[in-house]
Amino acid sequence: MIPLSWFLIVAAILFCIGLYGALARRNAIGILMGIELMLNAVNINLIAFWRYITPEVLTGQVFAIFVITVAAAEAAIGLALIISIYRNRETVVVEEIDMMKW
Amino acid sequence: MNVMQIAFLVLAVAAVGSAIGVVTSRNIFYSALLLIGCFFAVAGFYVLLEASFLAAVQVLIYVGAIAVLIIFAVMLTERMMSEKKRAFNEQWWVALIVSIFLVAVMLYIVVTTAWPATGAAAPADAIVALGQTLLSTYVLPFEIASVILFMALIGAIIIAREERPVGRAGEEKEVED
C-alpha cells in the first residue's frame, strides 16, 4: 500500500509549481496553465483523503467532480477572454493589458 | 517496495517533471503539450487510488477538452509569443521565493502530521454509490454545476465572437469607414 503522505507530498509540489507559473508567467495562457495545475493538485488531495480516510463516504470524489466542473468553466471563459483581448489589443502579455490601470 | 509504489514513483516523476516543464518552457506550445502529460500522470494517480470514474473524467475533460481548448488559444495567439520574448515578469524571483517557502511549509506539515489512515478497502461499487450520492445528498450543487457550465458556455461564445454591427432584423449593416 502506498502511504497517504506520498500523495500529499506530490500534490503539494504540484500546487507550488502551478503557483509559481501563475505568479511569474507573462503570457496569459501560461497563467491559466498554472491555475489548472493548482486545481489538479487539489483534486489529488481530495481523492487521496477520500481513499485513505473515509472510503465509505464519497464526499471527496463528489467535490473533485465539482472542482473539475469549475475548472472547465474557468478555462472556457478565460480562454475566450484571452482571444477577445488578443483580437482588440494584439497581445496576450498581461503586463501590456493595463487599460484599467492608471 | 512493491509494484504499486514503483508505479507511484514513476507517475510522480512524470507529473512533477512535466509540471516544471509547463511553467519554465519559453515556448508556450511546448508548455501546452507537457500539460497534457501532467494530466495523464494525474489520471494515473486516480487509478492508483481506485477512483476509476475520476480517472476517466480526468482524461475526458482535462485532456480531451481543457488541453485542446488551451492549444486552440495558443494557436490563435501564437504570433506574438516568439521564443525571443521573456517568459517571466520582473517579479519572478519573488514568486520563486513564495513558492519554495510554501512548498517547504506544506511538506513540513505533511511529514510531521500523523494521518489517521484507516486502511479500509475501497467500496466495490464506488461508481454506483457516487451516482447515488450526487443525486441525493448533493443534488442541489449538482444542478447548480450544470447551470454554471451552461452560463460558461454562453459567456464564452459571447465574449469570444467577433463583434460585427448588425441591423435590427439580424442582417449585417454596412460598415462606414
Side-chain angles (χ1 to χ4, degrees):
Chain A
M1 195 79 181
I2 306 161
L4 169 62
S5 57
W6 289 19
F7 283 103
L8 302 184
I9 289 169
V10 169
I13 293 171
L14 272 185
F15 185 89
C16 288
I17 293 171
L19 179 69
Y20 175 70
L23 288 178
R25 274 282 196 184
R26 290 177 80 222
N27 190 321
I29 302 173
I31 292 175
L32 267 180
M33 289 185 196
I35 294 172
E36 298 296 338
L37 281 179
M38 288 159 77
L39 290 168
N40 262 293
V42 171
N43 271 345
I44 293 176
N45 264 5
L46 287 172
I47 302 291
F49 280 126
W50 161 76
R51 177 66 190 83
Y52 284 88
I53 295 181
T54 62
E56 68 283 353
V57 186
L58 285 152
T59 313
Q61 285 208 33
V62 172
F63 266 79
I65 288 175
F66 289 143
V67 169
I68 289 176
T69 309
V70 174
E74 170 250 327
I77 295 286
L79 293 172
L81 280 172
I82 290 168
I83 289 172
S84 176
I85 290 169
Y86 179 74
R87 190 176 291 138
N88 290 324
R89 313 260 310 182
E90 293 286 309
T91 182
V92 288
V93 177
V94 286
E95 290 162 355
E96 293 166 11
I97 307 168
D98 56 356
M99 58 274 220
M100 290 180 76
K101 202 164 89 179
W102 56 281
Chain B
M1 288 291 267
N2 56 25
V3 181
M4 296 271 276
Q5 292 177 335
I6 293 170
F8 175 87
L9 290 180
V10 170
L11 283 173
V13 169
V16 173
S18 55
I20 291 175
V22 167
V23 297
T24 56
S25 168
R26 302 181 69 82
N27 189 332
I28 196 79
F29 186 66
Y30 294 156
S31 294
L33 294 183
L34 284 168
L35 192 68
I36 294 179
C38 189
F39 287 160
F40 269 117
V42 174
F45 286 141
Y46 294 163
V47 172
L48 286 181
L49 286 165
E50 299 174 53
S52 50
F53 180 72
L54 260 295
V57 164
Q58 170 84 11
V59 173
L60 278 177
I61 295 185
Y62 271 107
V63 180
I66 294 181
V68 171
L69 259 183
I70 288 176
I71 289 177
F72 256 106
V74 170
M75 294 290 189
L76 288 172
T77 59
E78 176 74 7
R79 194 156 44 90
M80 294 301 294
M81 296 314 289
S82 59
E83 298 196 29
K84 276 166 272 161
K85 291 207 158 200
R86 287 182 298 124
F88 300 110
N89 55 26
E90 286 97 31
Q91 285 102 35
W92 64 271
W93 54 276
V94 183
L96 193 64
I97 291 170
V98 168
S99 301
I100 290 174
F101 178 72
L102 188 62
V103 79
V105 169
M106 287 204 284
L107 290 187
Y108 174 76
I109 291 170
V110 167
V111 170
T112 53
T113 307
W115 298 102
T118 56
D125 55 346
I127 296 179
V128 177
L130 180 62
Q132 283 165 349
T133 313
L134 265 180
L135 287 178
S136 59
T137 316
Y138 294 99
V139 64
L140 186 62
F142 181 76
E143 296 294 334
I144 293 174
S146 62
V147 174
I148 285 176
L149 280 178
F150 183 59
M151 299 312 291
L153 186 68
I154 296 176
I157 291 171
I158 290 178
I159 292 168
R161 72 168 179 180
E162 236 164 320
E163 291 194 18
R164 285 204 202 95
V166 287
R168 211 178 306 151
E171 71 252 12
E172 289 188 25
K173 221 187 251 176
E174 294 283 317
V175 183
E176 290 167 31
D177 294 311

